[in-house]
Amino acid sequence: MARVNKVLIVGGGIGGLSLASGLRDRGIEVDLVEVKKEWTVYGVGIIQQCNVIRAMAQLGLMDRVLDAGFAYENMGIYTAAGELVQMLPGARSAGPEYPANLGISRLALHKVLSSTAAERGTTIRLGLTVEHLEQDVDGVDVMFTDGTRGRYDLVVGADGLFSKVRSMVFGKELKPRFTGQSVFRHNFPRPPELDHLMVCYGKNHNAGLCPLSKDLMYMFVTSSEPGNPRVPEDQLADLMRERLAEFGGILGRLREQITDPKQVVYKPMEVIFVPAPWYRGRVVLMGDAAHAMTPHLSQGAGMAVEDAVVLSELLVEDAPLEVLLSRFMQRRYERCKFIVESAIQIGDWEMQGASRADRSGLVKKVMEVIAQPL
Ligand SMILES: Cc1cc2nc3c(=O)[nH]c(=O)nc-3n(C[C@H](O)[C@H](O)[C@H](O)COP(=O)(O)OP(=O)(O)OC[C@H]3O[C@@H](n4cnc5c(N)ncnc54)[C@H](O)[C@@H]3O)c2cc1C
């Protein structure tokens, strides 16, 4: 018999919502609080690779996600001028019935995840967070910022990079670090030939295009931004065009259409990796709250969804919570550490202008690791 009956999830992002669906499927009562009043999602699109597709399928979410996104198989490597160097086939390791990869807009993914979590019976409250929590051997007493209270068997901090739960329970000194790079992104209508992920290696920047739906794709360009300068919002279009200056082909043509700064999404790359264990008593961290990485491997959300799969499986087991959470660490820590460190390494190589050979070797190793079962 499960000993975890009621869980509080703090944060309704990709990880928290995936976990809510997984736990509800197993009959665990779930309250989820999200600090945003208007449940908008920031950002453009997201890439889900084979391991994430497998994890989403395990949570029973994949069919809906597939309908809302754009399935694709290959990644094309191009020169800055736009000439194809190599087309790398993806691996269908989620099973022959699923594609190797999927691109999806963040908003579309959020709609699928939030509606599924609600349909499966999650109690979702918006515009509030945890004010105070106090745990004893049997549970956690939580006071919320609206003055309401609750008692839970487990509290999950799924509240992202700047996690309040992490700061309250694990210490304020655990803070994200800026890696030295940023990324500019912009949506465009998708032409039919952009049916794969396109990555272009330039001398100073890397850029590319990712399909998100039948009609939509997004462009990204990464750049070194020493000192994490404050970027004036009204200059974002000019700055993105400037970062794309060395690219020809389709990127060069689209560059000229970047004129509205409001359409550009700018994000400095910030990372954190919380030392083991990611739990203190009855409070556990997951997703970016525990292990936020740079986007170079397109695996941050993937690792959050995998956390959700593993926690959902473990929390119905009949064992003391301490044992279950230590099993969570055994299954997650090394895998996440390797992916986080690899993504950071690739970013460091980009900033140093180091050899691409290292990158291909490391990416190959990452692909082998993520293909392994959880
Ligand atoms: C530029 C960029 C591109 C990326 N591209 C990819 C990609 O292609 N593929 C991929 O897999 N990953 C990608 N990632 C990483 C991915 O976005 C994150 O790893 C993922 O969103 C983590 O999910 P999460 O649920 O842990 O956190 P989040 O998605 O950040 O969700 C946290 C949620 O908690 C809420 N919250 C915050 N504080 C509180 C609080 N105190 N109380 C209650 N709620 C709170 C937030 O509002 C939010 O809804 C990218 C990241 C960046 C920066």
Side-chain angles (χ1 to χ4, degrees):
M1 206 187 79
R3 302 182 196 193
V4 174
N5 297 306
K6 191 172 178 188
V7 172
L8 172 68
I9 300 174
V10 184
I14 296 169
L17 287 169
S18 301
L19 178 64
S21 282
L23 294 180
R24 286 301 303 135
D25 243 7
R26 288 164 172 81
I28 293 176
E29 198 180 331
V30 181
D31 287 356
L32 184 149
V33 290
E34 161 59 47
V35 76
K36 286 184 205 150
K37 266 200 196 97
E38 305 277 328
W39 212 2
T40 50
V41 280
Y42 178 77
V44 180
I46 199 152
I47 298 167
Q48 300 197 321
Q49 299 176 70
C50 56
N51 61 315
V52 194
I53 292 175
R54 180 179 58 198
M56 287 279 188
Q58 283 171 281
L59 292 168
L61 296 165
M62 199 55 218
D63 292 337
R64 279 184 168 190
V65 173
L66 265 181
D67 287 346
F70 187 93
Y72 67 91
E73 299 297 319
N74 303 328
M75 175 166 86
I77 308 291
Y78 293 78
T79 64
E83 286 145 9
L84 179 66
V85 178
Q86 202 182 0
M87 192 61 86
L88 302 170
R92 286 192 166 213
S93 46
E97 69 276 36
Y98 292 114
N101 302 290
L102 180 95
I104 185 166
S105 88
R106 283 188 183 253
L107 187 59
L109 180 61
H110 172 74
K111 280 183 182 160
V112 170
L113 296 181
S114 55
S115 59
T116 310
E119 282 163 26
R120 291 187 188 177
T122 308
T123 303
I124 297 173
R125 292 197 294 156
L126 302 180
L128 77 161
T129 186
V130 170
E131 175 72 42
H132 180 75
L133 51 82
E134 201 167 310
Q135 45 178 321
D136 53 54
V137 281
D138 297 323
V140 192
D141 286 314
V142 178
M143 193 174 95
F144 297 98
T145 44
D146 66 350
T148 55
R149 291 170 186 275
R151 184 168 170 84
Y152 300 92
D153 298 317
L154 178 70
V155 173
V156 181
D159 49 348
L161 187 62
F162 299 99
S163 169
K164 184 175 182 184
V165 175
R166 184 183 66 225
S167 156
M168 285 169 83
V169 180
F170 292 71
K172 288 188 174 32
E173 62 285 357
L174 286 168
K175 287 193 180 124
R177 167 179 79 82
F178 174 60
T179 65
Q181 284 186 301
S182 295
V183 55
F184 294 76
R185 289 165 294 162
H186 192 294
N187 279 339
F188 287 99
R190 185 185 70 84
E193 65 275 18
L194 204 287
D195 58 359
H196 59 281
L197 176 65
M198 176 182 191
V199 180
C200 306
Y201 293 134
K203 198 159 172 282
N204 304 307
H205 303 98
N206 292 326
L209 293 167
C210 176
L212 296 177
S213 73
K214 199 166 118 318
D215 307 315
L216 197 68
M217 64 180 183
Y218 79 93
M219 180 195 275
F220 62 89
V221 57
T222 61
S223 63
S224 294
E225 304 287 341
N228 197 9
R230 201 190 69 79
V231 176
E233 280 181 19
D234 62 350
Q235 290 174 27
L236 282 174
D238 296 343
L239 291 172
M240 185 167 181
R241 280 203 316 278
E242 200 179 295
R243 306 296 186 268
L244 287 161
E246 64 182 305
F247 295 97
I250 185 172
L251 291 182
R253 291 194 294 281
L254 290 170
R255 178 181 57 228
E256 301 316 315
Q257 296 174 28
I258 302 171
T259 51
D260 180 358
K262 290 198 179 67
Q263 300 303 315
V264 177
V265 179
Y266 176 79
K267 187 95 174 86
M269 295 187 199
E270 290 167 288
V271 296
I272 189 163
F273 191 77
V274 174
W278 297 334
Y279 62 91
R280 298 282 187 275
R282 292 178 171 272
V283 180
V284 64
L285 301 177
M286 68 174 290
D288 274 12
H291 48 71
M293 65 190 79
T294 64
H296 296 93
L297 291 167
S298 308
Q299 276 292 331
M303 289 299 116
V305 180
E306 285 190 357
D307 286 349
V309 170
V310 175
L311 273 176
S312 304
E313 284 175 8
L314 287 171
L315 292 180
V316 285
E317 287 181 13
D318 181 19
L321 187 62
E322 162 81 31
V323 172
L324 301 180
L325 294 178
S326 75
R327 285 183 196 153
F328 175 63
M329 294 312 298
Q330 281 160 22
R331 288 174 64 181
R332 298 305 296 148
Y333 187 78
E334 288 304 329
R335 185 174 170 105
C336 290
K337 186 165 183 280
F338 175 66
I339 306 290
V340 170
E341 287 176 354
S342 301
I344 293 172
Q345 175 67 79
I346 290 171
D348 287 348
W349 282 336
E350 281 184 3
M351 287 186 283
Q352 293 154 10
S355 144
R356 302 276 177 230
D358 294 331
R359 182 176 186 144
S360 323
L362 186 53
V363 170
K364 190 165 169 274
K365 217 167 151 201
V366 166
M367 290 302 145
E368 284 164 12
V369 169
I370 61 170
Q372 285 163 19
L374 287 176

